Amino acid sequence: MTQGGFNYDRLGMADKLAMRMFFKMNAKAAETDPKAAEMLRVMKAGFNGTNRDYLDPVLIHIRALEPPIDPSAGR
């Protein structure tokens, strides 16, 4: 299974507002539930759970679909 990541600093304003609400709503559960506390800690700190090995076949496929870049095309 491939995971994604989360970087609060790179979110737009609306998404940041939604995440602040999410954090606030889950803070109460985190007081008594160790799993909720860990999830909240990781989400607030941000994380990158991607595994580059899983991305390689996808990148190879995408590159095969793209036409080659002509360096003289921008002149």
Side-chain angles (χ1 to χ4, degrees):
M1 172 184 246
T2 303
Q3 288 186 338
F6 179 81
N7 186 340
Y8 180 83
D9 294 332
R10 295 184 69 186
L11 296 177
M13 188 59 71
D15 292 323
K16 282 183 179 180
L17 178 60
M19 289 310 300
R20 278 197 299 257
M21 291 171 50
F22 173 80
F23 293 151
K24 192 171 190 167
M25 289 171 33
N26 286 284
K28 186 75 172 167
E31 292 174 6
T32 57
D33 181 358
K35 284 187 177 186
E38 176 66 9
M39 183 269 308
L40 202 55
R41 184 192 66 75
V42 170
M43 292 290 289
K44 283 183 174 182
F47 66 95
N48 181 357
T50 56
N51 182 332
R52 292 292 192 189
D53 294 336
Y54 293 130
L55 292 177
D56 285 340
V58 176
L59 294 173
I60 290 168
H61 179 75
I62 291 171
R63 288 181 184 128
L65 296 173
E66 294 177 345
I69 297 173
D70 181 4
S72 64
R75 296 181 189 169

